[in-house]
Amino acid sequence: MRLMQYKIKHQRICNIYISHMHGDHYFGLAGLLSTMHLQGRNAPLYLFGPPGLSDILSLQFKYSGTNLCFPLIFQELDTSSHQKIFEDKQLTVHTIPMEHRVPCCGFLFREKPKPRPLIKENLPDFLTPPQLVRLKWGEDIKDEQGNLLVRSHEVTLEPKHSRSYAYCSDSRYKPALLPYLRGTDLLYHEATFLDDLRERANYTFHSTALQAAELAAAAQVRRLILGHFSVRYKDLTPLLQEATAIFPNTDLATEGSVFSIKD
Ligand SMILES: [Zn+2]
Ligand SMILES: [Zn+2]
């Protein structure tokens, strides 16, 4: 329903990543898959999630007599380790182990290095198309005797920035995440509580806004988005204030907000 409300087309979704088996993170999935089915999807859908997710969906489809009209390909995740779970031409996806009451992992989406744009006026005209491709990927061109003909860095510009996004929810404050998050462009981190409920956050395996900001600052990310707020907070401003005191470039993940990552 939210996807429809915000005019995001189902067909554009080819992978779905589920962090853990608490209902607030996947109860809508059977409905979404059914809608895709009713709309006649035929492209395969890749679903990444913890053990048990596939069984639950199979039962739901079995007892509703649903035979999905598209291939649903499930990849079971080992939530306790940092692993590459997906790769295509443009990006990689890795799991990030979280610390929660049930097995849970976050996800790190990273664009691969991009080609170096050619400076046309600096290019000698004897170059072949395969040589141009090699120059774009930073490789120098040599003749058969190994003598340098064209140096990549002299005929190309710096490549565009490869963007990254880390999704971290749900988790207790976990400084061990730092190496995974260092330099990330955009970090979504749960901030269920304000820091006066730090104890409660700890024993319910959640984080506070202050802790999320501390992690963002230590990891030197470019921007932080807070989400997963306790329903006790009717006004979310204090959560934002608590985080911005430590990490100014912070926003709230309110419904319908769009965050783009600049090149
Ligand atoms: Zn949870
Ligand atoms: Zn949750």
Side-chain angles (χ1 to χ4, degrees):
M1 289 171 75
R2 290 293 193 191
L3 291 172
M4 281 187 243
Q5 187 182 342
Y6 295 109
K7 299 192 169 45
I8 296 167
K9 295 198 170 75
H10 292 157
Q11 303 93 288
R12 291 192 56 198
I13 299 173
C14 42
N15 294 8
I16 296 180
Y17 299 87
I18 302 292
S19 59
H20 66 298
M21 296 301 285
H22 282 153
D24 52 324
H25 295 259
Y26 86 100
F27 276 177
L29 188 56
L32 174 62
L33 298 175
S34 299
T35 303
M36 288 172 163
H37 168 70
L38 292 172
Q39 290 184 343
R41 178 190 181 103
N42 42 41
L45 184 78
Y46 294 85
L47 176 62
F48 301 80
L53 180 58
S54 166
D55 293 348
I56 288 175
L57 289 173
S58 300
L59 269 183
Q60 284 182 314
F61 292 135
K62 177 180 167 192
Y63 287 102
S64 62
T66 307
N67 228 332
L68 289 181
C69 60
F70 59 91
L72 179 64
I73 299 133
F74 182 69
Q75 188 179 324
E76 191 172 290
L77 300 176
D78 169 8
T79 56
S80 64
S81 66
H82 177 61
Q83 279 180 6
K84 184 160 75 182
I85 54 168
F86 178 78
E87 176 170 15
D88 68 6
K89 268 195 224 158
Q90 283 154 4
L91 61 96
T92 57
V93 184
H94 285 78
T95 48
I96 314 173
M98 303 277 106
E99 204 172 307
H100 199 42
R101 293 196 302 284
V102 294
C104 179
C105 64
F107 300 100
L108 176 60
F109 302 84
R110 267 193 307 216
E111 279 188 317
K112 289 182 171 175
K114 297 177 180 176
R116 307 175 66 87
L118 295 167
I119 311 170
K120 296 223 170 69
E121 52 276 22
N122 290 11
L123 288 172
D125 16 307
F126 59 81
L127 289 166
T128 62
Q131 287 176 323
L132 291 174
V133 172
R134 278 156 56 198
L135 286 168
K136 279 187 182 186
W137 290 104
E139 209 183 306
D140 297 335
I141 303 300
K142 294 174 180 163
D143 67 12
E144 277 155 25
Q145 285 74 46
N147 303 313
L148 182 68
L149 295 179
V150 187
R151 200 184 293 278
S152 167
H153 281 54
E154 286 169 5
V155 295
T156 58
L157 299 167
E158 283 302 305
K160 273 190 178 169
H161 173 65
S162 297
R163 296 168 295 177
S164 54
Y165 167 58
Y167 171 88
C168 294
S169 190
D170 300 351
S171 187
R172 196 184 242 177
Y173 176 55
K174 191 179 177 191
L177 295 183
L178 272 183
Y180 308 126
L181 305 179
R182 193 155 281 132
T184 303
D185 291 307
L186 189 62
L187 167 64
Y188 171 96
H189 198 286
E190 75 130 282
T192 306
F193 299 108
L194 281 168
D195 207 59
D196 60 344
L197 293 181
R198 183 178 273 243
E199 274 304 298
R200 185 173 173 79
N202 190 46
Y203 71 73
T204 57
F205 289 81
H206 285 295
S207 306
T208 71
L210 186 97
Q211 290 172 329
E214 277 174 357
L215 207 55
Q220 296 179 302
V221 304
R222 277 164 76 185
R223 189 177 189 186
L224 170 66
I225 304 173
L226 302 178
H228 200 275
F229 314 114
S230 160
V231 287
R232 78 188 62 218
Y233 303 114
K234 303 288 172 262
D235 174 17
L236 300 174
T237 322
L239 289 140
L240 183 62
Q241 284 168 342
E242 187 171 278
T244 47
I246 303 224
F247 190 80
N249 201 8
T250 304
D251 287 286
L252 299 173
T254 48
E255 209 65 63
S257 310
V258 176
F259 301 93
S260 20
I261 307 175
K262 290 197 184 76
D263 280 339

